[in-house]
Amino acid sequence: MKQSLGNKIAHLSVEKFKSLPKTGKPKETEWTILSSIVKEQNSTFEVVSIGTGSKCIGKTKMCPKGTIVNDSHAEVMCRRAFLRYLYSHLTEDSAIFYSHKNKTFSLKPGVKFHFFTTQVPCGDAAIFPQDHKNEDAGSIIEDSTSENIPAKKRKLEDIFRTGAKCLKDSMVQDPKTDGATYHVLGVVRTKPGRGDPTASVSCSDKLAKWCHLGIQGALLMLFLAEPVYLSSFTILKESPFCQKSLERALLERVTPSLSLPYQKHKLEFYKADKSFVYRKTENRLACSSSICWWYSQNEQQNFEVAVNGRKQGVIKKNYLTEKGRLGICKLELFKTFRDKCLELKIDLDSDMENSTYEQAKRLSKSYQNNWIILKEQFRTWTMKDPELLHFTVTG
């Protein structure tokens, strides 16, 4: 059953990607990562959001107006597109939600969301011995879940490694021995990048956060009675991975006895036989563009191509204007949140026209309290410039 479900999710995802416009897709000499979220409802499956990409902008290019997408890795693009999908379904006639008298929403019985990706997420999940690839057992350190222990001294070529780096202010760093650098397990890392370093944590860390707090984030949580959790994680067998490393990175870094007010949630892991034509190989270059696609409530399809966090093909004078920004950037998601508050006549005791993005997120007190508890488990997280969160919907 697990094998067939994983294959079904992978097949739907890859075929939906094939059906999208050619704009933004890799050339034959390029590779990219594909991620998707598949809805299951009444025994039917449907792809509802897609993201591709492997790029991330540096700290110096981050925009205080919320108009640039900092992280264009496939997993993040897919998740941001999924947020737009969820917002569009916050209606009385929603196909996936039912509403409560207090104007909050819950998923209808039987609605599930499955996550798919063609390559192991960067960061902690990508660290495992090569002799355990595509197996359900094995990790660099036996019984290592949350302890920061250096990897056993293996030859470097025996270990699948990640380019993601330990946070500079973290007390734990990858140790160097005899001129070689070894990885520690279970730590928060920032995404790899050439030149200007990034401030974005790895996809392993972001997925771990979504697994424990829900994929909806703080703003959407203000409309929901409970978080939206992913039910499964499917990855292609042609991509080297280790299930124990995935479980460690996404689930087991949090103490089992931790009392999070949100419900405990178990993620199922599947592996699929489907092939992806643009998978990473030694003779291919990383595609510079990213794609995001999502369905809306009215079955409208939304498709965007991103380069350096902006819409592809936008001239410089339009970089910060509505013409230049993606519908999944922070500012556009904030506007969607504001518009949904007005549409549903939800009074949050806050002036949405003048509230900053940070102030609005702080209104989601339950989510923020859970996030504080979770960050203590991770021991550290990136501290971005507060000015990057002080924009408003009016600019």
Side-chain angles (χ1 to χ4, degrees):
M1 175 62 182
K2 287 186 177 182
Q3 182 71 22
S4 62
L5 181 56
N7 285 336
K8 178 190 284 288
I9 291 168
H11 176 77
L12 288 172
S13 301
V14 173
E15 292 306 308
K16 172 56 72 174
F17 170 78
K18 288 180 181 178
S19 73
L20 299 181
K22 291 183 179 180
T23 308
K25 289 182 178 178
K27 301 174 184 176
E28 292 184 359
T29 56
E30 296 177 327
W31 66 271
T32 193
I33 301 169
L34 166 66
S35 296
S36 72
I37 293 178
V38 177
K39 179 192 70 172
E40 176 187 356
Q41 186 174 16
N42 300 325
S43 299
T44 61
F45 293 78
E46 179 184 38
V47 181
V48 295
S49 72
I50 276 178
T52 71
S54 63
K55 299 294 185 178
C56 199
I57 68 170
K59 289 181 180 179
T60 62
K61 295 181 180 179
M62 297 172 73
C63 179
K65 296 183 180 293
T67 58
I68 295 177
V69 175
N70 302 323
D71 187 342
S72 293
H73 279 221
E75 297 92 333
V76 178
M77 298 290 283
C78 172
R79 184 254 180 177
R80 285 180 167 272
F82 182 64
L83 297 184
R84 292 298 302 262
Y85 166 80
L86 290 178
Y87 272 118
S88 75
H89 278 273
L90 295 177
T91 61
E92 291 184 358
D93 61 345
S94 173
I96 63 170
F97 289 118
Y98 65 86
S99 59
H100 301 280
K101 290 183 179 179
N102 64 353
K103 296 184 179 181
T104 61
F105 294 81
S106 294
L107 286 176
K108 290 181 177 180
V111 175
K112 297 180 181 180
F113 294 106
H114 304 277
F115 191 87
F116 165 78
T117 191
T118 57
Q119 185 173 308
V120 65
C122 64
D124 198 55
I127 307 171
F128 57 92
Q130 292 194 27
D131 54 3
H132 286 295
K133 64 181 179 180
N134 290 338
E135 295 181 7
D136 293 341
S139 62
I140 290 180
I141 301 184
E142 294 180 4
D143 301 323
S144 66
T145 54
S146 61
E147 294 188 24
N148 300 313
I149 308 173
K152 287 179 180 177
K153 291 184 179 180
R154 298 171 179 256
K155 293 180 180 179
L156 296 185
E157 60 267 23
D158 291 342
I159 299 174
F160 283 111
R161 301 163 64 80
T162 179
K165 307 296 184 183
C166 297
L167 272 61
K168 286 188 176 181
D169 58 354
S170 173
M171 295 180 63
V172 179
Q173 298 292 325
D174 291 328
K176 291 185 178 181
T177 306
D178 300 328
T181 301
Y182 297 87
H183 282 334
V184 291
L185 302 178
V187 298
V188 175
R189 296 171 178 271
T190 53
K191 282 186 165 70
R194 294 181 179 179
D196 188 12
T198 75
S200 299
V201 296
S202 74
C203 288
S204 290
D205 300 317
K206 290 187 176 182
L207 279 159
K209 179 182 178 181
W210 305 339
C211 286
H212 291 284
L213 298 186
I215 197 169
Q216 77 293 319
L219 293 182
L220 256 168
M221 193 64 222
L222 287 164
F223 299 103
L224 303 176
E226 56 274 323
V228 175
Y229 288 107
L230 296 170
S231 292
S232 71
F233 184 101
T234 297
I235 189 168
L236 295 184
K237 290 176 68 175
E238 68 181 10
S239 169
F241 73 94
C242 170
Q243 182 165 324
K244 274 196 173 291
S245 294
L246 281 168
E247 291 173 348
R248 177 194 70 233
L250 306 190
L251 302 176
E252 296 173 359
R253 285 191 278 173
V254 175
T255 304
S257 61
L258 180 67
S259 179
L260 278 173
Y262 287 167
Q263 70 184 57
K264 298 290 184 182
H265 186 71
K266 177 65 176 176
L267 192 68
E268 296 291 336
F269 291 91
Y270 307 137
K271 46 193 174 184
D273 295 321
K274 188 75 175 179
S275 180
F276 182 55
V277 66
Y278 296 115
R279 66 184 180 277
K280 184 177 181 179
T281 60
E282 291 183 359
N283 59 345
R284 285 177 169 172
L285 300 175
C287 181
S288 61
S289 58
S290 298
I291 289 173
C292 64
W293 170 93
W294 69 93
Y295 260 138
S296 296
Q297 159 82 339
N298 58 4
E299 296 190 357
Q300 176 184 351
Q301 298 192 46
N302 304 269
F303 178 81
E304 295 182 334
V305 179
V307 175
N308 295 324
R310 305 182 182 92
K311 280 186 179 179
Q312 185 183 52
V314 174
I315 60 177
K316 192 169 184 179
K317 71 175 184 179
N318 290 328
Y319 273 0
L320 303 182
T321 68
E322 188 172 358
K323 290 182 179 180
R325 58 181 180 254
L326 297 162
I328 59 170
C329 70
K330 285 187 176 72
L331 178 57
E332 288 300 317
L333 286 171
F334 191 20
K335 284 187 173 183
T336 303
F337 165 78
R338 186 275 311 268
D339 293 345
K340 189 59 67 173
C341 286
L342 295 174
E343 177 188 331
L344 299 175
K345 298 179 181 179
I346 294 178
D347 183 11
L348 296 174
D349 296 323
S350 180
D351 179 7
M352 279 297 118
E353 293 296 325
N354 297 307
S355 292
T356 67
Y357 179 72
E358 181 183 37
Q359 289 170 337
K361 291 183 72 172
R362 289 187 182 279
L363 294 174
S364 191
K365 294 181 180 178
S366 174
Y367 182 92
Q368 297 297 350
N369 289 338
N370 277 268
W371 180 215
I372 290 172
I373 295 172
L374 191 59
K375 276 194 287 190
E376 290 176 353
Q377 290 287 297
F378 288 141
R379 295 183 176 89
T380 184
W381 200 264
T382 51
M383 293 293 292
K384 296 178 181 177
D385 185 349
E387 292 299 318
L388 296 172
L389 303 177
H390 288 175
F391 57 90
T392 65
V393 291
T394 57

